[in-house]
Amino acid sequence: MTPGPADKPFEKLTLEEKASLTSGRDTWHTTGLPGTLRPLTLADGPHGIRRQVKGSGDALGLTDSVPATCFPPAVTLGSSWDAGLARRVGAALAREASALGVDVVLGPGVNIKRSPLCGRNFEYFSEDPHLTGVMAAAVVDGVQSLGIGACVKHFAVNNQETDRMRVSAEVDEATLREIYLAAFERIVRGSAPAMVMCSYNRINGVYASENRWLLTEVLCEEWGFDGVVVSDWGAVNDRVAALEAGLDLEMPPTRTDQEIVDAVRDGRLAEEAVDRAAGRLRALAGRLDGAGRFEDWDAAAHHELAREAARASAVLLKNDGGVLPLDPRARQRVAVIGELAATPRYQGHGSSHVVPTRLDSAWDALNAAAGPETTLTFAAGYRLDGAADAGLAGSAAAVAGAADVALVFLGLPDEAESEGFDRTTLDLPAVQTDLLREVAAACPRVVVVLANGGVVTVSEWQDSAAAILEAWLPGQAGGTAIADLLLGAHSPSGRLTETIPERLADVPSYLHFPGADGRVVYGEGRYVGYRHHDTLETAVAYPFGHGLTYTRFEYADLAVRETGPNAWTVECTVTNTGERAAAEVVQLYVAFDEERPTRPRHELRGFAKTELEPGAAARVSFALTGRDIARWSAARGGWRIDPGRFTVEVGASSRDIRLRAELETPGDGYAAPLGRMSTLGEWLDHPVGRRVLLARLGNAPGLTGAAQGSPALFELARGIPLAKFGTFGIGLSGDVVDELVAEVAAGA
């Protein structure tokens, strides 16, 4: 809004007026000032716009919202490994937000899947920060391409629902930087989201909403974020402390603005903090006012986009004997078993719940797509509430016994996955797995289709199925998308964004999640998901990045070209050697071969999804930078590139590496400063320290003897701080050590 002649200039606002801008007007609107600043409308929207119906009796509108397209949630969209598709979904969300009068979409969620038990994992992309960052940035870019703001959440380390409003995530800085902050950093630096939403939890004892290190030093000063920092709804505990720490907007309003005014008057809060927050809200309103508004959207086109996204994201885990795809023109009897085929599970519960514009079931879609020679028969098989029903199971087994192939739809019930609580098991309901065994005993060819927002274990029942299609929560068009894949109209192209473990006890966070006594220790450190499993070479059901399709791909001609200091281009050729068109997801990993691991064995650093006709080939290229081989150094307080050799790996999953090349980096030239308490080993490994020290060794016979003696004695000596050698009578007095430190400082 541009001030008119009678409008009050922003610079002339009173302290009370500026303070009023730092809290919402109500649940879904920021505070406006007539003639100066209009209020902004916010709405949940990670995978669909949840615009509350006016006059709804539900305070948050969780069960009463305007119909909008329910796109596949992040668990599903992430499995597409297709940033272009994610951007298109983001743009469609923006079009609907604009038509519904929404200024800022509260999404995407980019928290890392530390544990598969997290009840909100369906709203998150991956266990890997690179994949999460790329896919979420694409959504942000799509949303903001039409002048609507995106709000990235939940900042930070919000990886469980248990005690989520109070729990303290105890995590070291290297783990924070490399795993839990990395996706946020990529999005903030590259996509400039309108808002970042702080999380409820504490981080190392400090609430995220009051964490100056997180909200100001890292987010704004280091990464350059200049948008609005907003609280999660109800995350503010101390409004003055939050504003001082860098939180600009409390939502919804829970305290009076007088708290801010009084704190300034009393000298407990600098007025500059109020000016900063109010100024950011003003800047955001100006940024969003520059775009035109849409009156409506093409509901049919958006439904088709939702279908495409669901189709591109389903992961074919298993396909023994090529049981899939089914030929819709063949004479065959197909049993469709499972209530989830007729009553689809397509999204999770909580603040992201969308009222869809329409809803496709797989049963209806299969009937519409199957040819006249195919006979389809349905049996519910089980109740959605998990109660045993022998009659339903028996009828389903009978239907399966008369069929050539059985399509068995299994999954988690609605109440199993939601914001607000975590799961306690990775198992499917027992009534479903018992049914599967009965069906498998009656029918020789069984295909399982899964509907779930979080990983489920498959090891105990997958031998009963020839094929498994993981459809996740596929959104409102998921039923049709599933039929497209089962009947071969399209080839599956989704890949796992998280490891499927053999059992819950194999998950790296198993002994720590979800904590106790108000604390959860991230004891597994950086070894999350495949970083743990691949470093230790533990058995998994299906690895990160895995996914089959209806054709085969070959990888060849790996070429690596240095393009600058610690910069390379990595290329390879991928060929479709099968008989069907399909897409391959080529994955680039950087690997470190260490006798005793000090970091994950390898980490994803790039991916490209390539659609190829039979016989066609494509050249795939990746850019590799110094940041891709860096690690966070607590001692340095920054990123560090160690000199030495490393390997680039190109493959189809974290455990299906097809091509490798060994490279060498000189490092970044950094050498840690040496002091009196630096060990002999640190002195000898330091480029300047080694030269200075060896020049003095003639004056320290005991030290020289240790260096020339047995390997065991030398290793013992390497671990001793230099200042301690005088204690053991080895001729390095305190004065000599001080001189050595001074020489190194002068020569570094």
Side-chain angles (χ1 to χ4, degrees), residues 19-322:
S20 72
L21 299 178
T22 66
S23 66
R25 184 187 76 191
D26 54 34
T27 303
W28 299 115
H29 298 88
T30 65
T31 298
L33 293 173
T36 302
L37 188 68
R38 73 175 179 90
L40 301 177
T41 301
L42 318 179
D44 283 313
H47 62 270
I49 306 303
R50 192 175 65 79
R51 183 80 158 91
Q52 185 174 3
V53 174
K54 291 182 179 180
S56 169
D58 178 2
L60 294 176
L62 296 181
T63 59
D64 193 7
S65 57
V66 177
T69 306
C70 181
F71 291 97
V75 60
T76 313
L77 184 61
S79 298
S80 74
W81 294 61
D82 188 335
L85 176 61
R87 192 183 194 282
R88 290 162 55 207
V89 169
L93 288 170
R95 177 70 183 249
E96 297 191 19
S98 181
L100 293 172
V102 172
D103 295 294
V104 179
V105 173
L106 301 178
V110 301
N111 295 106
I112 296 299
K113 298 184 181 185
R114 176 185 178 231
S115 168
L117 292 177
C118 177
R120 210 168 179 178
N121 271 356
F122 61 86
E123 285 192 52
Y124 305 141
F125 288 93
S126 177
E127 69 187 21
D128 180 79
H130 178 85
L131 178 59
T132 294
V134 171
M135 293 298 291
V139 173
V140 171
D141 291 341
V143 169
Q144 298 193 157
S145 68
L146 297 187
I148 300 298
C151 177
V152 183
K153 60 183 187 180
H154 308 87
F155 193 58
V157 209
N158 181 184
N159 309 107
Q160 66 186 63
E161 294 298 285
T162 301
D163 200 21
R164 64 174 177 159
M165 292 190 175
R166 303 179 305 173
V167 72
S168 178
E170 304 293 316
V171 52
D172 66 90
E173 188 173 1
T175 299
L176 275 173
R177 295 285 191 163
E178 295 183 24
I179 304 296
Y180 297 102
L181 300 184
F184 288 101
E185 181 182 3
R186 173 182 288 271
I187 298 163
V188 167
R189 288 186 185 274
S191 299
M195 284 186 170
V196 168
M197 180 189 294
C198 83
S199 56
Y200 289 117
N201 53 283
R202 293 176 290 154
I203 302 167
N204 295 324
V206 181
Y207 280 106
S209 62
E210 301 168 18
N211 197 315
R212 176 177 171 77
W213 174 81
L214 182 73
L215 302 184
T216 295
E217 295 178 25
V218 173
L219 178 62
C220 297
E221 296 175 357
E222 184 179 328
W223 297 348
F225 179 68
D226 61 359
V228 170
V229 180
V230 61
S231 72
D232 202 343
W233 267 231
V236 173
N237 302 291
D238 183 325
R239 183 141 175 230
V240 173
L243 189 64
E244 186 175 36
L247 186 114
D248 304 308
L249 176 63
E250 179 194 25
M251 291 296 292
T254 59
R255 294 170 174 80
T256 68
D257 301 323
Q258 192 62 39
E259 289 185 43
I260 300 298
V261 174
D262 291 344
V264 173
R265 303 281 192 228
D266 296 345
R268 293 179 288 114
L269 177 68
E271 188 168 356
E272 288 77 8
V274 185
D275 293 341
R276 179 214 68 223
R280 286 185 176 175
L281 284 156
R282 178 202 187 192
L284 178 58
R287 171 180 170 182
L288 300 180
D289 282 344
R293 283 286 177 171
F294 297 96
E295 297 299 323
D296 55 16
W297 69 88
D298 187 334
H302 283 198
H303 184 79
E304 188 59 32
L305 178 59
R307 175 182 180 179
E308 180 186 349
R311 193 169 58 219
S313 304
V315 182
L316 184 61
L317 297 177
K318 176 181 180 181
N319 192 24
D320 290 353

Side-chain angles (χ1 to χ4, degrees), residues 587-608:
Q587 301 162 39
L588 173 70
Y589 296 84
V590 170
F592 302 91
D593 186 15
E594 299 175 306
E595 183 176 342
R596 185 170 59 187
T598 64
R599 63 195 300 176
R601 196 199 75 77
H602 62 181
E603 298 179 280
L604 182 74
R605 288 296 181 254
F607 61 91

Side-chain angles (χ1 to χ4, degrees), residues 358-668:
R358 56 182 279 196
L359 183 60
D360 298 349
S361 76
W363 169 243
D364 289 339
L366 288 166
N367 274 284
E373 298 299 317
T374 296
T375 301
L376 294 167
T377 308
F378 174 76
Y382 53 80
R383 291 171 45 167
L384 291 177
D385 63 6
D389 191 319
L392 287 178
S395 297
V399 168
D404 300 308
V405 61
L407 305 178
V408 184
F409 287 73
L410 308 177
L412 297 176
D414 271 345
E415 62 271 13
E417 298 176 290
S418 174
E419 177 181 358
F421 59 86
D422 293 317
R423 296 159 64 196
T424 58
T425 178
L426 299 184
D427 297 336
L428 288 171
V431 294
Q432 295 186 21
T433 52
D434 290 344
L435 169 68
L436 175 61
R437 293 184 182 94
E438 289 189 49
V439 169
C443 181
R445 300 167 70 213
V446 175
V447 175
V448 167
V449 180
L450 291 172
N452 46 288
V455 162
V456 296
T457 50
V458 301
S459 300
E460 293 186 358
W461 54 261
Q462 68 171 340
D463 288 345
S464 297
I468 304 172
L469 181 67
E470 174 58 271
W472 305 111
L473 300 180
Q476 68 178 49
T480 309
I482 290 168
D484 289 340
L485 298 173
L486 294 177
L487 298 179
H490 293 267
S491 297
S493 63
R495 301 293 185 267
L496 290 178
T497 64
E498 53 191 308
T499 308
I500 301 181
E502 290 274 4
R503 55 184 188 141
L504 178 59
D506 295 334
V507 173
S509 63
Y510 177 70
L511 294 178
H512 310 286
F513 181 94
D517 299 325
R519 297 170 67 250
V520 53
V521 177
Y522 283 50
E524 70 282 357
R526 297 168 293 175
Y527 297 91
V528 177
Y530 74 89
R531 286 169 166 79
H532 164 88
H533 296 294
D534 292 356
T535 301
L536 297 183
E537 299 181 342
T538 60
V540 299
Y542 293 101
F544 175 83
H546 170 77
L548 305 176
T549 188
Y550 297 152
T551 190
R552 300 175 303 280
F553 293 96
E554 289 186 357
Y555 292 56
D557 303 327
L558 179 65
V560 181
R561 179 170 54 90
E562 188 171 1
T563 57
N566 286 317
W568 301 265
T569 295
V570 181
E571 294 182 340
C572 71
T573 299
V574 180
T575 304
N576 182 346
T577 60
E579 299 176 352
R580 285 179 175 267
E584 176 69 327
V585 177
V586 184
Q587 301 162 39
L588 173 70
Y589 296 84
V590 170
F592 302 91
D593 186 15
E594 299 175 306
E595 183 176 342
R596 185 170 59 187
T598 64
R599 63 195 300 176
R601 196 199 75 77
H602 62 181
E603 298 179 280
L604 182 74
R605 288 296 181 254
F607 61 91
K609 192 167 193 176
T610 305
E611 182 90 24
L612 293 172
E613 294 294 322
R619 194 72 175 159
V620 178
S621 179
F622 303 98
L624 194 65
T625 69
R627 176 65 181 268
D628 294 322
I629 58 174
R631 70 169 96 194
W632 184 264
S633 169
R636 184 176 183 177
W639 295 98
R640 166 182 167 184
I641 303 174
D642 298 320
R645 303 191 72 79
F646 66 96
T647 303
V648 291
E649 302 177 335
V650 179
S653 82
S654 74
R655 294 199 173 182
D656 184 7
I657 303 301
R658 309 288 182 86
L659 304 170
R660 290 180 173 85
E662 194 172 71
L663 303 178
E664 187 162 4
T665 172
D668 56 14

